[in-house]
Amino acid sequence: MIPRTLAADLPAMIGQHIRIEGWLHRSRQLKSMTFLIVRDRSGLAQAVATDPEAIRAASLPEETVIAVEGTVTASPRAPGGAEITDPVITQLSGPASAPAFDLYRPAVTASLPAILDGAPTTLRHPRLRAPFEISAASVAGFRRALGELGFTEIHTPKIVQSATESGANVFGIDYFGAPAYLAQSPQFYKQALVGVFERVFEVGPVFRAEPHDTARHLAQYTSLDAEFGFITGPHDVMAVLRDALAAMVAGVDRDCRSALDLLVLKLPSVPGQIPEIPFADAQELLARHTSEDPRGEPDLAPAHERWLSEWALREHGSELLFVTGYPMAKRPFYTYPDPARPGYSNSFDLLFRGLELVTGGQRLHRHADYLAALAERGEDPGPYAAYLQVFEHGMPPHGGFAIGLERWTARLTGAANVRSVTLFPRDIHRLSP
Amino acid sequence: MIPRTLAADLPAMIGQHIRIEGWLHRSRQLKSMTFLIVRDRSGLAQAVATDPEAIRAASLPEETVIAVEGTVTASPRAPGGAEITDPVITQLSGPASAPAFDLYRPAVTASLPAILDGAPTTLRHPRLRAPFEISAASVAGFRRALGELGFTEIHTPKIVQSATESGANVFGIDYFGAPAYLAQSPQFYKQALVGVFERVFEVGPVFRAEPHDTARHLAQYTSLDAEFGFITGPHDVMAVLRDALAAMVAGVDRDCRSALDLLVLKLPSVPGQIPEIPFADAQELLARHTSEDPRGEPDLAPAHERWLSEWALREHGSELLFVTGYPMAKRPFYTYPDPARPGYSNSFDLLFRGLELVTGGQRLHRHADYLAALAERGEDPGPYAAYLQVFEHGMPPHGGFAIGLERWTARLTGAANVRSVTLFPRDIHRLSP
């Protein structure tokens, strides 16, 4: 048997006898010939059957897996200018049942629920698959950047004894008869491991029993977490985040040309210095230029985030904007307060194309500060005992951030709903496929 | 403030005024001077305090985080031949409480439970931290190899509607009021995604409600999964696995010199062709050369795996051995049978230094074959409906494998228990830290 050739390599093989293998993407029967389009991971290839036996062998349902042997012939009408003539067709799978919609049509008109219900097949559509190539290249870029900065990759427990953030939205689990929870974030572990490795990152699932059915929330998503020590303040964290984002964009730019072309996407440019605005100034701006006055609110509403993103694009030519110095009131207890401004914190959000993409900041690193912070919130330190212990053993000033991978991919690809850039999403209504 | 220098860079900075930051690894007070050893992610640095104020500032408990500014001076008695003189010491954390044992002593004599209970601190010991550097470099090598082979990284659901393997050892979870389970493996999803991407891999947590308290089982471990289509049989899968293992070893060899030296480790060489023995022949060998006769048994006992590993090293000079063609009886229903030998399968295990490290093989790819396989085992296809549907839509011949990361690291580092190479292990007795 001749070894397999990928579809994308055909144009360089004119005149050779080759074998391709893939899915029967499209079969078009004309009077005296049948055009076959075969799809493999590299792209599409065309074969033309003219003799009666090949035409008979070609009459298979779309999505059937086939091998095609034949001669590569120059043809201006074929993708890449080459097609396979005199094909001999072999069936590698059973004849395929029809997918939820025709995968060969360039546009996808199916509804999101129809796409998700049939995901194992519908994701084969090149336009629906492309975002995942972009997602994978982004993660590779993230890892590359952090690896170069001396970060160590970690894998932390997803089954935990107590919830990270005060109790809400956790999935309970029966752990050999004891109550336990699915981790909402690797926050406590990545902080503890700053004490071991100084600089750590994790790419892994996090779980939120999110009762709201919105376009941007999932019960499981992939979090790109980083945390590191010996910082002088939140700007050191923002600088690493900036480098990570630049590497993510560069990775997509390098590895996903065909996906970017197919979806007609323009990548953001990541400025050497991402513009930033203090939270209080952002509220001033909103009060001055919009019909709302959010001053005094402890957080930004989604509409405010959209307005600020547009402002940053207009004023600074940047699709990315740091909002710094959030009020302590809405940040978790481990947040480091801004020593210069009571009530405000050394934390930040990063807005990207109108949406909060990243939350990060400096954390407390002294044991006494943790006890005081919990006391001030009237929280019992008991459930945090294992976490708090870490800070009794010498922890450096540190901070970090978490990027929601699906939100990132949705913003990059213009997806209106994070579900369409999630492999088999989980939400309050969806546990299968 | 002068920027931070890493300990490892001191020998190249003789005569310069520098600042290092790290943990006070060891403080030794002599009559008129104090020797400080500071630990950071790059290694150890020595400072010598002679004036009374510096000596006073240096009298801090070990593990306190400090900054030391001073002049780098050549000194044959210091690590790397350089030490910091005239140090000015600043405290960056609170004074540290004592860890479970002295982290500065070269040997670790603490028990495994003591190490695990105090993990956030005990893992700072260079000998206990080193395996995780090796683990991270292994994963990076795995990804690099598969990326170069055209694999796409995936992130699949960890909350699933039905168990992958027939029901045993799953963690139940309350999913918005509906019953669900933690995924025991990404098996079904990685197969489905072969239909989308052809070649996929995932590095992620898998969950087993393992009731046995053994040295090689965990309730959560990290699985390096790969799956790909258009194979001609199990040897294509074994070839990719071989390349992945070679890249993992190469990654460790390149990135972990100091960890390898510290633990005095010798990496295995991965032969271009890993030796292999059919399961039935392995049983013959055991019957002929040991006091046991395992012929007729459907699986190998741990003692058999150890004997076969020794045999492979003796006969083939290889620490890796493929055992191929396992009996169908003990393999999951999706296993592809060996067409030439009824009762045997196109699956394999890889033994490494006496232990099963990888399981893999060719899977069924035709819908009718799945129905027949389930019927033969008397299993109801109902719970597998979403999975089975995939095979109605055209799936190529495919296969894959899963490497248990902790087992790999344990074998590489000679750890007797997988727990000592797992960050915060989970088992029937352990849910914290």
Side-chain angles (χ1 to χ4, degrees):
Chain A
M1 197 173 80
I2 11 177
R4 180 188 185 203
T5 293
L6 289 177
D9 296 332
L10 286 197
M13 302 181 81
I14 306 285
Q16 294 184 50
H17 187 72
I18 55 88
R19 175 187 174 92
I20 60 167
E21 297 177 1
W23 288 262
L24 180 54
H25 189 59
R26 176 67 161 133
S27 161
R28 271 192 310 138
Q29 306 196 341
L30 305 187
K31 207 175 290 167
S32 59
M33 59 179 72
T34 293
F35 285 95
L36 302 179
I37 307 286
V38 178
R39 185 185 75 240
D40 66 20
R41 71 176 188 274
S42 75
L44 303 176
Q46 178 168 296
V48 192
T50 47
D51 81 68
E53 196 186 334
I55 288 176
R56 212 167 28 247
S59 76
L60 286 164
E62 271 122 4
E63 291 308 304
T64 304
V65 181
I66 58 173
V68 180
E69 291 190 22
T71 304
V72 185
T73 307
S75 164
R77 69 188 163 182
E83 67 186 10
I84 301 167
T85 50
D86 295 327
V88 176
I89 295 153
T90 324
Q91 195 177 325
L92 299 180
S93 72
S97 302
F101 54 89
D102 293 330
L103 299 182
Y104 59 81
R105 294 192 197 280
V108 177
T109 54
S111 70
L112 183 57
I115 290 169
L116 298 180
D117 288 342
T121 320
T122 58
L123 294 185
R124 296 177 185 178
H125 190 288
R127 292 186 68 87
L128 300 179
R129 185 185 58 202
F132 298 100
E133 295 165 11
I134 288 171
S135 167
S138 300
V139 174
F142 174 82
R143 285 206 197 87
R144 198 158 40 236
L146 293 190
E148 283 169 11
L149 292 170
F151 281 71
T152 299
E153 183 171 8
I154 56 173
H155 303 281
T156 64
K158 303 308 161 203
I159 305 175
V160 295
Q161 195 163 35
S162 44
T164 315
E165 327 279 342
S166 39
N169 298 347
V170 288
F171 286 110
I173 172 180
D174 172 5
Y175 191 76
F176 300 112
Y181 304 95
L182 292 186
Q184 293 164 295
S185 94
Q187 182 64 31
F188 293 177
Y189 290 104
K190 68 177 183 170
Q191 284 186 260
L193 291 170
V194 164
V196 177
F197 303 106
E198 275 192 32
R199 311 187 138 209
V200 296
F201 73 90
E202 178 163 18
V203 176
V206 297
F207 305 92
R208 309 274 167 112
E210 181 59 61
H212 306 295
D213 190 3
T214 79
R216 60 176 179 167
H217 288 103
L218 295 164
Q220 176 189 324
Y221 69 88
T222 301
S223 184
L224 312 185
D225 267 277
E227 194 81 13
F228 63 109
F230 301 99
I231 64 172
T232 59
H235 281 87
D236 290 349
V237 181
M238 291 154 68
V240 166
L241 171 55
R242 185 264 154 211
D243 288 351
L245 293 168
M248 290 165 74
V249 170
V252 174
D253 196 30
R254 192 188 69 182
D255 296 340
C256 303
R257 289 321 313 172
S258 65
L260 291 168
D261 290 346
L262 181 66
L263 301 180
V264 197
L265 298 182
K266 195 170 166 324
L267 288 172
S269 77
V270 179
Q273 191 83 31
I274 294 173
E276 56 183 272
I277 183 168
F279 180 86
D281 295 5
Q283 287 191 327
E284 291 288 341
L285 264 188
L286 287 159
R288 206 174 324 134
H289 295 289
T290 73
S291 59
E292 291 180 71
D293 185 353
R295 286 174 296 184
E297 297 291 327
D299 206 350
L300 295 173
H304 299 154
E305 295 179 349
R306 280 194 297 276
W307 190 92
L308 288 167
S309 262
E310 284 160 23
W311 171 83
L313 188 58
R314 210 162 53 230
E315 292 295 314
H316 299 285
S318 172
E319 298 190 279
L320 296 155
L321 174 69
F322 277 119
V323 180
T324 60
Y326 274 70
M328 284 296 286
K330 275 286 187 174
R331 300 305 250 201
F333 68 88
Y334 48 76
T335 305
Y336 202 97
D338 182 343
R341 291 191 310 151
Y344 290 90
S345 71
N346 275 359
S347 74
F348 60 82
D349 273 10
L350 180 76
L351 309 186
F352 175 41
R353 294 183 176 169
L355 196 69
E356 171 226 314
L357 172 70
V358 188
T359 294
Q362 181 175 2
R363 331 294 188 183
L364 298 175
H365 64 280
R366 289 189 171 84
H367 188 250
D369 292 343
Y370 274 91
L371 294 183
L374 285 168
E376 196 176 315
R377 290 170 190 240
E379 274 210 69
D380 174 15
Y384 302 110
Y387 171 52
L388 296 179
Q389 202 198 336
V390 172
F391 302 97
E392 292 189 71
H393 294 287
M395 281 291 287
H398 64 282
F401 58 83
I403 307 173
L405 177 61
E406 294 79 2
R407 283 194 183 187
W408 164 256
T409 309
R411 293 289 96 182
L412 274 193
T413 61
N417 193 311
V418 286
R419 287 167 185 74
S420 61
V421 297
T422 306
L423 294 170
F424 314 109
R426 293 291 179 260
D427 63 32
I428 190 166
H429 301 302
R430 189 170 286 277
L431 180 55
S432 173
Chain B
M1 197 172 81
I2 11 176
R4 179 187 186 205
T5 294
L6 289 177
D9 296 332
L10 287 198
M13 302 181 81
I14 305 286
Q16 294 185 50
H17 187 72
I18 56 88
R19 174 187 174 92
I20 59 166
E21 297 177 0
W23 288 263
L24 180 53
H25 190 59
R26 176 67 162 129
S27 160
R28 270 191 311 138
Q29 308 196 336
L30 305 186
K31 208 176 290 167
S32 60
M33 60 178 73
T34 293
F35 285 94
L36 301 178
I37 307 286
V38 177
R39 186 185 72 240
D40 67 18
R41 71 177 190 274
S42 76
L44 303 176
Q46 179 169 295
V48 192
T50 48
D51 80 69
E53 196 187 333
I55 287 176
R56 210 165 32 246
S59 78
L60 286 164
E62 270 121 6
E63 292 308 304
T64 303
V65 181
I66 58 174
V68 180
E69 292 190 20
T71 305
V72 184
T73 307
S75 164
R77 70 190 163 181
E83 67 187 10
I84 301 167
T85 50
D86 295 326
V88 176
I89 295 152
T90 324
Q91 195 176 324
L92 299 180
S93 73
S97 302
F101 53 89
D102 292 331
L103 299 182
Y104 58 81
R105 294 191 196 279
V108 177
T109 54
S111 71
L112 183 58
I115 290 168
L116 298 179
D117 288 343
T121 320
T122 59
L123 295 184
R124 296 177 185 180
H125 190 288
R127 293 186 66 86
L128 298 180
R129 184 185 59 202
F132 298 99
E133 295 165 11
I134 289 170
S135 168
S138 300
V139 174
F142 175 82
R143 285 206 197 86
R144 196 155 44 233
L146 293 189
E148 283 169 11
L149 291 169
F151 281 70
T152 299
E153 183 170 9
I154 57 172
H155 303 281
T156 65
K158 303 307 161 203
I159 305 175
V160 296
Q161 195 163 36
S162 44
T164 317
E165 326 279 341
S166 39
N169 297 348
V170 286
F171 287 110
I173 172 180
D174 171 5
Y175 191 76
F176 300 111
Y181 305 95
L182 292 185
Q184 295 165 296
S185 95
Q187 183 64 31
F188 292 178
Y189 291 103
K190 68 178 183 170
Q191 285 186 260
L193 291 170
V194 164
V196 176
F197 303 105
E198 277 193 32
R199 309 186 141 210
V200 295
F201 73 91
E202 178 163 17
V203 176
V206 297
F207 305 92
R208 308 275 166 110
E210 181 59 61
H212 306 296
D213 190 3
T214 80
R216 60 175 178 168
H217 289 102
L218 295 164
Q220 176 190 326
Y221 68 89
T222 301
S223 185
L224 311 184
D225 267 278
E227 196 80 14
F228 63 109
F230 301 100
I231 64 172
T232 61
H235 282 87
D236 290 348
V237 181
M238 290 154 68
V240 167
L241 172 55
R242 185 262 154 211
D243 288 351
L245 293 168
M248 290 164 75
V249 170
V252 174
D253 196 29
R254 191 188 69 180
D255 297 340
C256 302
R257 288 322 311 173
S258 65
L260 292 168
D261 291 347
L262 181 66
L263 301 179
V264 197
L265 298 181
K266 197 172 165 319
L267 288 172
S269 76
V270 180
Q273 191 83 33
I274 294 173
E276 55 182 273
I277 183 170
F279 180 87
D281 294 6
Q283 288 192 326
E284 290 287 341
L285 264 189
L286 287 159
R288 208 173 322 134
H289 295 288
T290 73
S291 58
E292 291 181 69
D293 186 351
R295 286 173 297 184
E297 298 291 327
D299 207 350
L300 296 173
H304 299 153
E305 295 179 350
R306 280 195 296 276
W307 190 91
L308 288 166
S309 262
E310 284 161 23
W311 170 83
L313 188 57
R314 212 163 53 230
E315 294 293 315
H316 298 286
S318 172
E319 297 190 278
L320 296 155
L321 174 68
F322 277 121
V323 180
T324 61
Y326 273 72
M328 286 295 287
K330 276 285 187 173
R331 301 303 250 202
F333 68 87
Y334 49 76
T335 306
Y336 202 96
D338 181 344
R341 292 190 312 151
Y344 290 91
S345 71
N346 276 359
S347 74
F348 60 82
D349 273 10
L350 179 75
L351 309 185
F352 175 40
R353 295 184 176 170
L355 197 68
E356 172 225 314
L357 173 71
V358 189
T359 294
Q362 182 174 3
R363 330 295 190 184
L364 298 175
H365 63 281
R366 288 190 171 84
H367 188 250
D369 292 343
Y370 274 91
L371 295 183
L374 285 167
E376 197 176 314
R377 291 170 189 238
E379 276 210 68
D380 173 16
Y384 302 109
Y387 171 52
L388 296 179
Q389 202 198 336
V390 172
F391 302 97
E392 292 189 70
H393 294 287
M395 281 291 286
H398 64 282
F401 58 84
I403 307 173
L405 177 60
E406 293 79 2
R407 284 193 182 187
W408 165 257
T409 309
R411 293 289 97 183
L412 273 194
T413 60
N417 194 312
V418 286
R419 287 167 186 73
S420 60
V421 296
T422 306
L423 293 170
F424 314 109
R426 292 291 179 258
D427 63 32
I428 189 165
H429 301 302
R430 189 171 286 277
L431 179 55
S432 175

